[in-house]
Amino acid sequence: MDIILKRVIIIFFVLLLLFISTMIFSEYRNIEKLKEEDNDINLKAIELRKDRLRVWAIRLFLNFLIPLLFLVSNLSQKINKFASEGKGLIISGILYGFIFFALIFLINLPLNFYSSYYINHKYGLSNQTIWRWLELNIKGFLTGDLIIALFLWVPYYIISREARTWWISLGLIAVPIIIFMVFISPVIIDPIFNDYTSIEDEKLGIEISGLLGKAGIEDANIYRVDKSKDTKTMNAYMTGISKSKRIVLWDTTIDNLEEDEVLSITAHEIGHYIKGHIWKSILFSIAGVFILLFLVYISSKWMLRHSYGSFGFRNLSSYASLPLLLLILNLYLFLANPISNNISRKMEVEADEVEISLTGNRDSAVSAMKKLSKTNLGLKRRSKLYEWFYSTHPNLEDRIEFYEKHPID
């Protein structure tokens, strides 16, 4: 590894630590302002926010440190040597992918336990048993990492055949996969984790059907999902396309909100569909994949050239290059956060507009949002820096103001 690459790596981690420190400082300052504005602020919500900030900082740092350690320690090359010895391209890829992703899964398991089990129980947000938590994590590994491992040989076969244009070919392959996953995920993947029950014939379902008819998507299905066995928080979403589109309400939402409030939340989710946000997200994802792959192609060539084989390999066609590709991909996904989240916040505002238009009930919209925030131990706003970089939704303060002032058609 030459001095240029070493300096780039050191500078990057220094800047990353500076970013983390600045973000935490801005969030803590925002918390102090919230305490000054409201003497009755929920102190549990503040402590939860601080705990989650610590988890965010550690996870962000590890996203870059872990793949780098796989490279500089030559661990990735050792795994590749073991996986490839006397085996063909496909078996080698499956074996390497399984070992690599299993190690990543185990390395991240303690932090995942702390963030998704311990913290949620600490603040009374979870109903989950330790066995249920393990079940969901194992299912997540099997439906995510293991599937990638089974087909890891495909991109590497393309990389080995198309040294300069592999990013174009992989982008083209990603297009049908993205559309296919949006279509099948609600029908095949989601039911692996939870039970979905149709409520179309119930009183609430009939009311929701009226909203769907008003919006012109009366063929959408309406489901209740049993999230209460995992959490005390509330949520709802609309997912799928064409015949797979569906409104999904967490049972905690149905059980803890008034009917008008549930209808307001549902109308918001309907807004995402009739505004074309699902298709727009697909198009943004496709465009983003091509851009990301091109940037990964350029950056990986540069890193390989300046590594002088110190990672144990000299070209991307080696399975040992996977941590390198993930390291670079994580970097550009991190840098893309402000762009993608700005788009998301604008979509949320559009969905809020539809919500008010469909229900004509701003009071229920406001009360539902307040109850969701209170139950989920949310704060009414984040710091400007955090909101710009990470928030997918406008803050509670702005959404309530929007609901209260937006004209009803």
Side-chain angles (χ1 to χ4, degrees):
M1 186 188 307
D2 69 12
I3 190 65
I4 295 176
L5 182 55
K6 289 180 181 178
R7 285 176 178 173
V8 167
I9 292 173
I10 292 171
I11 290 171
F12 169 75
F13 277 98
V14 170
L15 291 175
L16 182 64
L17 288 172
L18 180 61
F19 172 80
I20 291 171
S21 301
T22 304
M23 185 67 77
I24 291 176
F25 174 77
S26 67
E27 280 290 278
Y28 271 63
R29 188 171 63 176
N30 180 64
I31 287 171
E32 291 305 312
K33 288 181 180 178
L34 291 173
K35 290 166 69 175
E36 291 173 5
E37 295 171 11
D38 183 4
N39 292 328
D40 297 323
I41 192 170
N42 191 332
L43 297 181
K44 283 180 67 176
I46 289 176
E47 292 307 310
L48 173 62
R49 180 67 189 138
K50 290 179 178 179
D51 267 343
R52 285 180 172 168
L53 272 174
R54 286 188 280 270
V55 170
W56 162 81
I58 295 169
R59 195 180 298 281
L60 178 60
F61 193 77
L62 291 180
N63 278 347
F64 299 103
L65 181 63
I66 291 173
L68 182 64
L69 290 178
F70 269 85
L71 293 172
V72 298
S73 67
N74 279 170
L75 177 58
S76 183
Q77 175 58 20
K78 291 173 183 175
I79 297 171
N80 179 53
K81 185 177 179 181
F82 170 78
S84 302
E85 197 166 5
K87 305 174 187 70
L89 175 73
I90 296 177
I91 299 300
S92 298
I94 294 172
L95 189 55
Y96 176 91
F98 178 78
I99 296 172
F100 176 79
F101 288 119
L103 287 174
I104 295 295
F105 174 77
L106 293 174
I107 291 169
N108 285 322
L109 200 60
L111 185 59
N112 289 340
F113 174 80
Y114 180 79
S115 63
S116 63
Y117 185 84
Y118 175 78
I119 286 182
N120 286 338
H121 278 276
K122 177 182 177 181
Y123 293 98
L125 296 175
S126 179
N127 295 319
Q128 210 171 57
T129 66
I130 185 64
W131 302 114
R132 170 66 176 166
W133 179 84
L134 280 171
E135 173 195 338
L136 291 179
N137 276 267
I138 292 171
K139 284 181 177 179
F141 174 77
L142 295 176
T143 58
D145 295 338
L146 184 59
I147 291 177
I148 294 174
L150 291 174
F151 294 97
L152 187 62
W153 63 273
V154 175
Y156 275 92
Y157 174 78
I158 293 172
I159 290 172
S160 67
R161 291 301 184 97
E162 305 174 20
R164 295 184 179 181
T165 59
W166 60 262
W167 61 276
I168 299 175
S169 297
L170 290 184
L172 292 173
I173 291 174
V175 173
I177 293 175
I178 292 171
I179 297 173
F180 184 64
M181 287 305 298
V182 172
F183 186 82
I184 70 161
S185 182
V187 180
I188 297 178
I189 305 298
D190 294 351
I192 294 174
F193 297 89
N194 289 93
D195 294 327
Y196 291 76
T197 307
S198 174
I199 60 170
E200 292 177 19
D201 296 329
E202 298 178 15
K203 182 176 181 296
L204 178 61
I206 293 171
E207 293 290 334
I208 293 173
S209 293
L211 285 177
L212 290 168
K214 190 176 178 181
I217 51 171
E218 53 278 339
D219 59 334
N221 297 307
I222 310 165
Y223 288 94
R224 175 207 306 260
V225 59
D226 63 335
K227 295 295 288 188
S228 58
K229 64 183 179 184
D230 297 318
T231 182
K232 295 177 183 177
T233 61
M234 297 183 282
N235 206 349
Y237 60 92
M238 187 160 189
T239 186
I241 53 177
S242 186
K243 293 182 179 180
S244 73
K245 62 178 176 288
R246 57 180 60 187
I247 291 283
V248 178
L249 298 167
W250 290 15
D251 56 352
T252 52
T253 303
I254 295 173
D255 295 340
N256 291 290
L257 296 183
E258 301 296 329
E259 184 177 283
D260 284 348
E261 293 168 337
V262 176
L263 292 176
S264 288
I265 291 173
T266 305
H268 172 88
E269 300 308 323
I270 292 172
H272 282 303
Y273 195 88
I274 65 176
K275 284 291 185 177
H277 293 166
I278 294 176
W279 281 108
K280 287 177 183 177
S281 296
I282 291 172
L283 293 175
F284 286 140
S285 296
I286 291 171
V289 162
F290 279 100
I291 294 170
L292 283 172
L293 287 174
F294 174 71
L295 292 173
V296 169
Y297 163 70
I298 295 297
S299 301
S300 60
K301 280 181 60 178
W302 184 88
M303 286 193 69
L304 277 177
R305 186 167 64 251
H306 289 277
S307 71
Y308 288 109
S310 61
F311 299 148
F313 56 91
R314 291 182 177 275
N315 58 72
L316 289 180
S317 60
S318 168
Y319 287 122
S321 69
L322 183 59
L324 174 63
L325 296 175
L326 290 179
L327 175 66
I328 298 170
L329 184 62
N330 287 344
L331 170 63
Y332 288 117
L333 287 173
F334 167 69
L335 295 176
N337 269 322
I339 299 172
S340 60
N341 290 331
N342 179 62
I343 294 171
S344 176
R345 289 192 299 273
K346 289 181 178 179
M347 288 181 175
E348 293 299 327
V349 173
E350 290 180 352
D352 284 343
E353 291 174 347
V354 174
E355 174 183 348
I356 294 296
S357 175
L358 276 178
T359 65
N361 190 340
R362 59 163 55 94
D363 291 337
S364 290
V366 171
S367 61
M369 194 56 56
K370 287 181 177 179
K371 287 181 181 179
L372 257 68
S373 180
K374 183 178 180 180
T375 303
N376 298 353
L377 289 182
L379 297 175
K380 68 179 182 180
R381 69 168 180 265
R382 304 284 176 83
S383 66
K384 292 294 184 183
L385 178 59
Y386 188 92
E387 182 176 355
W388 176 71
F389 212 92
Y390 282 110
S391 291
T392 57
H393 291 62
N395 62 56
L396 175 66
E397 205 172 47
D398 291 341
R399 294 187 79 175
I400 289 176
E401 182 181 359
F402 175 87
Y403 286 136
E404 290 176 339
K405 294 182 177 180
H406 187 73
I408 297 175
D409 295 335

